[in-house]
Structure formats: structure tokens, C-alpha cells
Amino acid sequence: MQEIIDRIYLKKLLGEKKKHDTGRVMDVLPFLSKRPQNINVQFHKMIGEYVRHITDIRVDEKAISSDLLEYETEKNILSEHIASKIEFEDDEAKVDFVRFIDEYLFKQERMNTIHPYLFNFIPIDKKLTNEFGKFAGFLQDVLLQRDLKITQFFTDKEANDILTELVITNLDILTKKNNGENSQKSGYHSLLNYISDLYKEDLIFLTKHKEYFIQAFPMITNHYAFMYTCQLLWNLEQYERGNMTEVYPFHYAFEWESITKRRKAAHPMMGYKFIQERAENLFPHIHTLSQLSHNKLNERYLESEPWAVMSYYEIFQKVYAKGEDYKNQFIKEANEWISEYCSYPWVKATRPPETDTLEETMQSLFKSVKEGTSSTVAAKYGKNIEDLGSAMFLKRRGSIGYVFNLKHEFILLLVAVSVKDERIPLNQLYDELEKRGVALDYYSRKELVNLLDSHNILDKKSDSGDAQYVKPIL
């Protein structure tokens, strides 16, 4: 039987690199091991880079008058450019207009995106271009998957008022399209397509409500990116049992609730503790799979690179489908590769005993990769999950530590996309929230009922969940 795992390539790759590398397969996450934490405090700025990835639009600074580029740095060039395209009675009127546009759109901490098209112009510090570009590419490849309906939404310039039309019309010269629509090549592979499908479904619904979309788009994107990483880690920790097709809803608590260690949100398996205690496993899991994905069962094998990453579940199912002899050959080769991997001086991992089952073999390689990974690198890489969620979806609760958190504006957004256009039973709302990764215990459900009642969006015919209906918000 011919070799199944491409150990020759792996040996050459890791021998020359002298560090972990994904090789021919796509990456899974855009996280960095140096953990700069910019995504935590500037997610709204990354959204601009994300939209530019979606539309393939870039700000063309060459289209700006060279005279404007000589202005003092505190003056906003875009405000000046808009004014330069309009005729004024005198210089004083022009100065007043520039001041107005400057304050209205550009001088706030966050750009005032009064129209979806303006997301293309959210500025980004040049020093963050690489980091945010990687993350924007991840969102495009993994969550949005280049959906053309969303692309068209962010390139549509139709406006409902004169001021917005004036701004968009006079910013149009600052944009240019790359050759070919959505011309960037995919760099990240989606392992959780059901999350991508749900994200696109919710976004398309929100596009029907343009004003609310502008407010909700960064938050819903942040939630799905955070949810994706948490669900990915949960599935990877299940090894061959993590089929990547089901959501494991973690328990959240409302921001204003007081909670104890007995609440499900504080539970070591049901709440954020599960993620926090296993986050350091994320880096070795990804590199274990990148190594195992260099095999002849990979659908992209011998095709143009990069190849897809295979999950433990996919490898397990495909190997078993090939029969007993094939399975034994795969286990034999994997054991030999583990021995070779542990022999690298830079790995510094102890060679484990050979394993007899496919489940044990995959876990053995993971343990070796984890031992061969710097604990500092693994910890910093895993902490990216916390950075992604801490601004909106996590809250520190004293001795309990971080728990999954529901803010008022966020739960209303989740209710809006869960209910959509027609009222649904309250019990169905709980199911819809769990599809989106959010579970509520008995006490949090009571809080939700009170919240919905206070907003007059609950039809309450009795105290039964089946006899209570949640009305559309939008």
C-alpha cells in the first residue's frame, strides 16, 4: 500500500522551518501568538477593513488633490475633499461646511457611518493593517464566504436624504476596484459551516432595516466571530466525536444579574470556564490537524494549494470507511510520524508509546504537539479568544472570574434576528438563541421574560412558555 500521510513533505517542512507551520493547508484562525490585543479595543476599526475585503474597494489617495495633502495633520482630508467638489458663495461658508462635515462624520472616536457604503471609509492605522487584514480575511473566508448579496449591500450608494447623497457622491472618486470582483484568494478554511449559514441569514435579514443594520453590524459580526472560536474549541476538544455540525450552547448571564458559583454560567463545563481552561489547547489542536491533513484522503490532495484542513471527525470517518487494512496502515504511519516529530531538537517532546487505535493515535499526536509547543506561545494564542469577547460578551464576576455576558443592546439584537418578521412562541425563542450559541438557565430566562415584557414585545396569554409569544422588534 502506498504511503497515506505525506511524511516526507512534513519532515522537510518542519525540519527546515524549525517551528510549527501549517504547510500546504489553509489556516483556521487569524490569531497571533504575540497577542497584541488590538482587536479587543478596536474591533469597530477592523470592521472597515472587513467591509473593504467584502467590496474590493480601496481608498485611492492619489485621487486627492495634492494641495489638500499639504494641509496640517489635524485637518481631515476627506472633509476637505468633499468641500472641494462643491461651490460655495464665499470662503467662510466653505469653512463652516468643512467644520460641520468634520464633526458629523470624521472627528468622533468612531466614524459616524450614516450609510452602509461609508463602512468602506472607516480609517485604520497603518501599523494595524497586517493584523486587521488577516482578521478581515478570516471573516470574509469563514463567516461571510463571499456572499454576493452582502457585497452589493455595501456598494449600493442609494441615499434617502440630500446630505447623505452629497457625502457619498463626493467620496466616490476616492474609491477604486481591484481587478475582478472579490479577487482575494481564500486563506482560511471554514470548519463550522452551519455558523456561517446562520450569520449570513441574520445579516440578510438586517439589511432590510438599513438604519438598525448600521448599528448592529459590528456587534453581530463580533458575536459570530467569538461564537465561532468557542464552538471550534469545543468541537476540537471532543476529537473524533466533534462532528462540527452541532452548536453546543454555553450558558450566559445578564449583565445586571448577580450570580453565584451554582449558576450554570459559572459551571466548569457549561460556561466560559470550559473555554478559559482549554484555550491553551487551541494552538496545538490546529497544528495537529494541519499535520494530519497532509494525507491522500484530503479532497484537495494533489490539487492547487492551499488545501482544506480536515477535522478529527472527518479523518476518523474517512479512514474507517476505507476498511481495516487502510485504518491499520494509517495508524502505523501516524505513529511513525509522531516518532519523527518528537525527534526534532527544537520540539523537545518525549516520544510516546505506540498506539493501537485511531482515536488514541490522534490524541497521542496532539499531546506530542502540545508538549512540543512553547507554553507561552500556546497561552498567548489561546488568550485571543478572551480578547475577541471581553469588550462585549464577557464579564468578570469577582472570585468566579469571567462568565459569558449578555448586555441589554446585545440581547435585543439576538431577539430581533431570532424572531425576524413574525411572532414566535417564547420556547421557540430559547431554541433560536441556543442555535446562536446562547443558553439561559431558569433564572436568566425569568430575566429575559421581564425584559421582553418591559419593551412590550411579549404577548402573555398565560405563564406557560408555549402560551407566550415574542413579537418582532424591527
Side-chain angles (χ1 to χ4, degrees):
M1 184 183 294
Q2 290 185 332
E3 186 177 71
I4 303 168
I5 301 173
D6 196 348
R7 288 175 293 153
I8 295 175
Y9 172 80
L10 288 174
K11 190 172 182 179
K12 184 174 185 293
L13 173 73
L14 298 183
E16 291 181 354
K17 293 274 187 178
K18 296 182 180 179
K19 65 177 183 177
H20 291 102
D21 190 281
T22 56
R24 289 176 175 144
V25 301
M26 283 185 271
D27 211 339
V28 177
L29 293 169
F31 293 165
L32 301 173
S33 57
K34 62 182 179 182
R35 197 189 172 210
Q37 294 181 268
N38 292 312
I39 203 70
N40 179 11
V41 295
Q42 300 195 60
F43 191 88
H44 63 285
K45 291 188 176 180
M46 191 282 302
I47 284 293
E49 189 67 10
Y50 174 34
V51 171
R52 289 187 286 274
H53 270 68
I54 294 172
T55 60
D56 252 2
I57 287 176
R58 294 291 181 269
V59 174
D60 184 8
E61 294 185 357
K62 293 180 180 179
I64 303 173
S65 166
S66 58
D67 293 336
L68 293 180
L69 291 174
E70 295 176 2
Y71 272 99
E72 297 176 8
T73 55
E74 64 266 20
K75 294 198 174 186
N76 192 295
I77 293 176
L78 295 182
S79 300
E80 298 284 351
H81 177 80
I82 294 171
S84 71
K85 300 298 178 181
I86 302 171
E87 292 186 9
F88 295 92
E89 292 183 359
D90 51 45
D91 289 342
E92 185 177 350
K94 181 177 181 180
V95 170
D96 288 341
F97 178 81
V98 169
R99 185 183 297 115
F100 169 74
I101 294 296
D102 217 27
E103 293 293 334
Y104 185 48
L105 291 181
F106 302 114
K107 278 291 181 71
Q108 303 174 49
E109 183 181 349
R110 299 190 183 194
M111 180 179 175
N112 184 18
T113 46
I114 57 175
H115 188 280
Y117 183 72
L118 294 182
F119 277 99
N120 289 285
F121 296 90
I122 295 176
I124 181 176
D125 296 336
K126 288 187 177 180
K127 64 182 181 181
L128 300 177
T129 300
N130 180 56
E131 178 189 348
F132 284 7
K134 284 168 65 71
F135 212 98
F138 163 75
L139 295 176
Q140 166 77 321
D141 294 341
V142 171
L143 286 187
L144 193 62
Q145 297 179 335
R146 304 174 187 275
D147 188 282
L148 291 179
K149 291 181 181 178
I150 303 301
T151 301
Q152 293 166 1
F153 182 74
F154 283 113
T155 54
D156 182 14
K157 301 168 191 167
E158 182 180 349
N160 297 325
D161 62 87
I162 295 175
L163 178 58
T164 304
E165 183 179 356
L166 182 148
V167 169
I168 291 176
T169 300
N170 289 289
L171 280 176
D172 187 51
I173 194 173
L174 301 178
T175 62
K176 61 179 181 179
K177 281 222 167 193
N178 292 333
N179 294 326
E181 193 164 336
N182 284 330
S183 59
Q184 305 101 335
K185 293 182 179 180
S186 296
Y188 296 90
H189 176 63
S190 176
L191 288 167
L192 303 166
N193 285 322
Y194 66 90
I195 294 180
S196 307
D197 293 341
L198 199 55
Y199 172 66
K200 289 183 284 186
E201 174 191 313
D202 288 350
L203 273 193
I204 289 170
F205 167 72
L206 289 171
T207 60
K208 300 175 184 177
H209 309 273
K210 188 178 289 186
E211 289 186 10
Y212 187 68
F213 179 96
I214 291 169
Q215 169 192 337
F217 175 60
M219 195 190 314
I220 197 76
T221 300
N222 196 347
H223 164 65
Y224 272 99
F226 182 55
M227 173 189 171
Y228 184 95
T229 59
C230 293
Q231 294 296 321
L232 177 65
L233 180 57
W234 186 86
N235 274 277
L236 294 178
E237 285 291 289
Q238 313 310 308
Y239 293 97
E240 77 284 350
R241 292 176 287 109
N243 60 21
M244 302 285 177
T245 60
E246 298 174 359
V247 172
Y248 177 79
F250 288 101
H251 278 78
Y252 282 63
F254 287 97
E255 186 173 37
W256 56 87
E257 284 185 272
S258 59
I259 67 171
T260 67
K261 292 182 179 180
R262 295 183 179 181
R263 293 286 298 278
K264 290 183 178 179
H267 192 277
M269 294 298 293
M270 300 179 184
Y272 183 68
K273 281 188 182 298
F274 179 93
I275 300 298
Q276 191 171 34
E277 293 174 357
R278 294 165 177 79
E280 64 182 16
N281 290 343
L282 191 56
F283 184 92
H285 272 308
I286 288 172
H287 285 279
T288 299
L289 290 180
S290 70
Q291 293 174 21
L292 289 174
S293 295
H294 287 82
N295 70 72
K296 291 185 178 178
L297 292 172
N298 195 315
E299 292 180 359
R300 299 292 299 273
Y301 188 74
L302 296 182
E303 292 184 14
S304 59
E305 300 173 13
W307 302 346
V309 181
M310 300 176 69
S311 67
Y312 294 115
Y313 177 83
E314 183 183 1
I315 293 169
F316 184 85
Q317 295 295 322
K318 287 188 173 182
V319 169
Y320 262 81
K322 288 288 188 178
E324 190 71 14
D325 290 343
Y326 196 96
K327 181 193 71 174
N328 291 334
Q329 178 68 17
F330 189 95
I331 293 171
K332 177 178 177 292
E333 291 185 21
N335 274 307
E336 291 173 355
W337 166 244
I338 293 170
S339 178
E340 290 173 353
Y341 170 81
C342 293
S343 69
Y344 290 116
W346 63 270
V347 169
K348 298 178 183 178
T350 305
R351 178 181 174 182
E354 290 194 0
T355 51
D356 299 322
T357 68
L358 184 53
E359 301 96 306
E360 291 173 341
T361 304
M362 291 192 293
Q363 292 187 38
S364 178
L365 177 56
F366 165 77
K367 291 174 183 176
S368 294
V369 173
K370 184 175 181 179
E371 186 181 351
T373 300
S374 161
S375 58
T376 301
V377 167
K380 287 184 176 180
Y381 189 91
K383 280 283 188 180
N384 280 273
I385 302 177
E386 184 178 301
D387 294 338
L388 187 55
S390 61
M392 177 64 67
F393 313 112
L394 295 173
K395 182 177 180 179
R396 191 179 294 279
R397 300 298 193 109
S399 61
I400 295 174
Y402 275 122
V403 299
F404 286 113
N405 184 55
L406 289 173
K407 292 189 175 185
H408 183 267
E409 58 181 328
F410 174 55
I411 188 60
L412 289 181
L413 170 57
L414 284 186
V415 171
V417 296
S418 296
V419 177
K420 293 190 168 65
D421 294 319
E422 297 183 5
R423 73 173 193 167
I424 62 174
L426 178 61
N427 284 339
Q428 185 180 337
L429 174 61
Y430 297 143
D431 293 339
E432 291 293 329
L433 293 176
E434 290 186 5
K435 280 169 57 177
R436 291 162 177 80
V438 176
L440 303 175
D441 65 11
Y442 171 79
Y443 301 100
S444 291
R445 288 188 176 192
K446 288 181 66 177
E447 290 289 340
L448 178 59
V449 169
N450 292 335
L451 178 66
L452 298 175
D453 205 19
S454 69
H455 283 276
N456 196 31
I457 54 176
L458 188 66
D459 281 337
K460 195 172 182 181
K461 304 188 183 303
S462 80
D463 289 335
S464 168
D466 291 322
Q468 298 180 71
Y469 291 84
V470 184
K471 296 182 287 186
I473 292 180
L474 302 180

